[in-house]
Every structure is written in structure tokens, then in C-alpha cells.
Amino acid sequence: YLLEYGICHEDESFADLTTRYFDAYKNENISFWGLSAQNEPTQAYNNPSWIFSMGWSAEQQRDWIAEHLGPTLQRGGYGDLELMTLDDNRVWLPEWVETVLENENTNSYVSGIGLHWYTDGSTDPSIIDQTHELFPDKFIFYTEACELVQVTRDTLGDWTVGEHYGNSMFQAFNHWVNAWADWNMAINEDGGPSTYGYNAAIIVNATGDEFYKQPPYYFQTHFSAFVPPGSKRIEMTMENGVSPFMSVAFLTPESTIVTVIMNP
């Protein structure tokens, strides 16, 4: 519904549909924390298996937020939602964010920057540092990660998939990222019910009334179970300056120091 009518993205109507979307959930007593202006705006295609996806330039997104989305959210009573720009791969940093936030009006509506992990292997994490230094008042949220392989019984328990998640989270949190989220929480043995068939941390066997916790589940749990919301990442150094381990440290709201360490 929202995506289908998104083809008129430069018109006020798309912003109106966004608030109607939130209204519908509000009627069911479901509230939201935030939203992004567009998922993967650099991926412009219209393939039936992918439903619809709109393409934006940074300039278009900048102007649409300033002239339509931001004011409409305010009028609709959703001005307190955390609005994110980009929501795409970090290869677009920092130029995309600079273009969007150079407009003071747009800047006032945007709270954070959304990132995906799919080009991390070909980009240096220093571009996240650079972006943070340019806009230290904006949070950085890894909003999507997914192992883009078809789930099969042969891939159950694949430890390398878990390490992929671990590598991403350690790198993200050591470079000013505030939050990290998986794409799929649970899927069935065919990779559904979505049309993509990709992997997930939990695989559900509905016919057998059981589920399988995969390595990514445990890698994520090392963070989610011990690093509560509101924790702050703190510097961690080794005595000899070199370590074979990946590590990150946090100070929790209860003033407890938590370290997460991975031996690859």
C-alpha cells in the first residue's frame, strides 16, 4: 500500500500516505519509534519479485524531506519520530548525508543516518568516523543486515555466517554506530514467507513444531543480552597494542563495564 503509491514520491500525497500508515497502526494501539525516508534509495527498479522500489538522488530526498515529509509528520502529530536519511549501503558516505543535511530545514527534521552492510567488504569503516565527525549530533543505525544466500538444511549451523555478523557488529560499534539490526528475525525452511528466501538467525520448522537457533542468533545475543540500551561504548586497548581478537567495550547505565570479545 505505502510502497505501491510511492511512485508519486515528489508529491505531498506520498507524505500523506506515510501519516495514514501510522494512523492505521495507532488505531490498533501500535506506536513507532522511527522511520527512514526511503529504503535503499539508490536501488531504483520495479521487479515483480521485489514489489516496488523508488529511486532518489540525495538532492531529491533532501528537498522532499524539507518541503513535504517533515512538515507532514509534524502536522500529523508524528514530529517526535526519529527520521533517518540514506538507509542504504555505507559506500554512499559521507557525500549523501552531506547533501541531504546541507539544507538547514531538512537537517532539523533528520535525527539519524541509516546504513546497510552489503558493501562493507569493499569500504573502509573510517568513512563512518568521517561522517560522525561531520554530524556528531546524528545517530548512526545499521538498519539492515542479511546473509544473501538461500537457506537450506545443508547451511544450518554454518559458523561462517555467524562470524560475518560478528565482524559487522564489532566494526560498527567501534566506529560510532549506535544500533545494529538484522533484517529477518525468523523464517521458515524455504526462506519464507517473504519472496527472497534469504537466511536468518532463527529457522522455523512449522510442520515439526520446532525452531533452530542459528550461529547469528548467538553472535547477536552476546551484544543484546549484555549491552542494555543506553550503554556507551568506551575505549579499549591491549597492553602490547596488538590482539588476535576482535573486541569492544561498553559502560552500561548501571556503571558496569561490559566487554564483548570474538576469537576469529
Side-chain angles (χ1 to χ4, degrees), residues 17-42:
L17 284 169
T18 303
T19 58
R20 287 169 57 188
Y21 180 89
F22 291 131
D23 287 341
Y25 275 93
K26 186 176 182 180
N27 291 337
E28 300 296 328
N29 295 317
I30 298 174
S31 60
F32 283 76
W33 168 82
L35 73 157
S36 69
Q38 168 69 36
N39 174 68
E40 296 188 351
T42 63

Side-chain angles (χ1 to χ4, degrees), residues 71-92:
T72 302
L73 289 172
Q74 292 279 5
R75 289 194 301 269
Y78 300 106
D80 60 338
L81 292 180
E82 307 289 350
L83 176 61
M84 288 172 279
T85 185
L86 189 55
D87 203 19
D88 208 325
N89 294 302
R90 76 185 192 197
V91 68
W92 300 99

Side-chain angles (χ1 to χ4, degrees), residues 151-153 155-159 161-162 165 182 184-189 199-205 209-222 224-225:
V151 59
T152 65
R153 277 199 166 270
T155 60
L156 295 180
D158 188 344
W159 194 257
V161 176
Y165 276 69
D182 203 348
N184 296 315
M185 182 171 65
I187 59 175
N188 63 31
E189 291 184 293
N199 224 312
I202 296 176
I203 308 299
V204 177
N205 176 358
D209 193 27
E210 59 186 7
F211 62 90
Y212 317 124
K213 292 184 284 188
Q214 297 303 291
Y217 170 87
Y218 295 100
F219 279 81
Q220 292 180 72
T221 302
H222 272 77
S224 62

Side-chain angles (χ1 to χ4, degrees), residues 36-106:
S36 69
Q38 168 69 36
N39 174 68
E40 296 188 351
T42 63
Q43 301 298 310
Y45 42 74
N46 182 359
N47 183 308
S49 65
W50 288 78
I51 313 176
F52 285 89
S53 183
M54 294 189 305
W56 300 78
S57 67
E59 291 80 6
Q60 287 174 322
Q61 188 175 86
R62 174 197 63 202
D63 297 343
W64 183 68
I65 292 173
E67 299 169 11
H68 300 292
L69 182 60
T72 302
L73 289 172
Q74 292 279 5
R75 289 194 301 269
Y78 300 106
D80 60 338
L81 292 180
E82 307 289 350
L83 176 61
M84 288 172 279
T85 185
L86 189 55
D87 203 19
D88 208 325
N89 294 302
R90 76 185 192 197
V91 68
W92 300 99
L93 294 177
E95 290 81 9
W96 183 284
V97 179
E98 286 184 287
T99 298
V100 170
L101 298 183
E102 68 182 2
N103 182 307
E104 291 185 5
N105 196 19
T106 307

